[in-house]
Amino acid sequence: MKRLALLLFLLLPLSIEANEKPRPLKVDDLFRFKRVADPQISPDGKWVVYSLGIVDLEANKTVANLWLASTDKGDKGGPVKQLTASTKSDRHPRWSPDGKSVLFESSRSGATQLWIIDINGGEARQLTHISSEASLGTWSRDGKQIAFLSAVWPEYSEKPFKESDALNKKRADEKDKNPVKAKV
């Protein structure tokens, strides 16, 4: 029943002026919705970090930034603050085990890499600089290591990191320069 009520609420027009007649929902209305994604509750349960995406129709893209909301259930709810403000998308936030910082992926440096930001403010700093990009980072339980996903060519995976990264970059550059854009 709660899901049905929520669905009906979301399908109502976004803004109805006093003189505006009700009308059917249009596709353009859907693009005006903000997209909440990937909520993550802090280790102490006091905060939730999430990605909030806004569609930019002119640029034909969605820009997402990270937001923090308190889980305080007071009358007005807890405070909400914007954690990142990038023109690129910041996605997949993950709390550090101590709850003091958030790991996320972003393309703000040109390629998707892992970044970290302190929840008390300050600038995000880039953690990875990998030619084959890095995404979907997750912390180890003790907070000393981070595992992440990076697509590499298999024939380079057994080589030392520095050599493997250089070979992956060379291969990606050759692929980008090749006029043939077919997948085998």
Side-chain angles (χ1 to χ4, degrees), residues 62-76:
T62 300
V63 175
N65 282 288
L66 302 182
W67 288 74
L68 273 179
S70 171
T71 57
D72 180 14
K73 296 180 182 177
D75 290 338
K76 296 179 182 179

Side-chain angles (χ1 to χ4, degrees), residues 42-107:
S42 64
D44 63 7
K46 294 181 180 179
W47 294 95
V48 62
V49 62
Y50 58 92
S51 176
L52 182 72
I54 299 173
V55 176
D56 181 351
L57 286 174
E58 279 79 44
N60 192 27
K61 67 178 183 175
T62 300
V63 175
N65 282 288
L66 302 182
W67 288 74
L68 273 179
S70 171
T71 57
D72 180 14
K73 296 180 182 177
D75 290 338
K76 296 179 182 179
V80 176
K81 69 177 185 177
Q82 190 169 356
L83 192 58
T84 65
S86 174
T87 57
K88 304 288 184 174
S89 283
D90 298 335
R91 299 173 305 275
H92 304 296
R94 295 296 181 263
W95 286 97
S96 63
D98 64 7
K100 294 180 180 178
S101 57
V102 174
L103 174 73
F104 63 98
E105 68 182 58
S106 181
S107 57

